[in-house]
Amino acid sequence: MKKQNVSDAVIRRLPRYYRYLDDLHMKGIVRISSSTLGEKMGITASQIRQDLSCFGEFGQQGYGYNVEELRAEIGHILGVDERHRIIVVGAGNLGRALMQNFHFKDAGFLLEAAFDVSPALVGSQIAGVPVLDMSELERFVPAHRPDVAVLTVPQSAAQPTADRLIDLGVRGFWNFTNVELTSGISSVRFEDVHFADSLLTLSYRITVR
């Protein structure tokens, strides 16, 4: 499987491929051509073939792609079968909403715990997941070794909390704090989610006629 020098644009299209293929698989569709898949996704067939060629050879000329097999291959590339461990840091409104409504298991993540400073939340459970006090991080993280932390803490606490978790060994952050986080450690990865960016993109598209 080739993975060298894969562009960020290709990586960001992979989840879309996986999502579309998962939908096709659920509908019982066995095979699909790159042109048909491209039409559904608004991507050219050549772009799909070029993207997939970064990771190996998929499909057969004149046959197309086996939906189930390609879905499984892309899922493997994305690490869906790795069963990554994940924690939520900040169990307020946004953190609670994610825990109750986002299907972490479908993305290959095992949600193990949430952390907060509120006495009203600590000791409770959200969607069956325990909410622990922030003071428990130093005990919990080395023992359970989560791969990713979902950050939904206030902006003022974002970087200090990330630094604290990095010192404990966390290397992946799904960051909802609206703060651009940084680290001097090259192996640490941040995936920043900015709701305003998405809404402003929509604003542009409905404004430009």
Side-chain angles (χ1 to χ4, degrees), residues 74-88:
I74 293 178
H76 180 68
I77 292 167
L78 290 169
V80 171
D81 50 2
E82 293 289 332
R83 309 312 296 174
H84 298 296
R85 298 172 183 270
I86 192 168
I87 58 175
V88 172

Side-chain angles (χ1 to χ4, degrees), residues 148-189:
V148 173
V150 181
L151 286 188
T152 53
V153 297
Q155 291 185 5
S156 59
Q159 189 66 59
T161 302
D163 292 341
R164 181 178 174 185
L165 290 163
I166 291 168
D167 288 342
L168 292 171
V170 178
R171 290 296 178 263
F173 293 85
W174 200 19
N175 174 30
F176 289 84
T177 66
N178 207 37
V179 173
E180 297 288 340
L181 301 175
T182 61
S183 172
I185 301 174
S186 61
S187 60
V188 174
R189 297 287 184 265

Side-chain angles (χ1 to χ4, degrees), residues 110-154:
L110 176 62
L111 179 56
E112 295 195 315
F115 296 84
D116 205 275
V117 296
S118 170
L121 291 173
V122 172
S124 67
Q125 289 193 351
I126 299 174
V129 177
V131 180
L132 308 178
D133 192 273
M134 286 288 288
S135 63
E136 290 288 301
L137 280 174
E138 278 69 21
R139 177 194 62 81
F140 184 95
V141 172
H144 293 261
R145 302 174 63 85
D147 303 286
V148 173
V150 181
L151 286 188
T152 53
V153 297

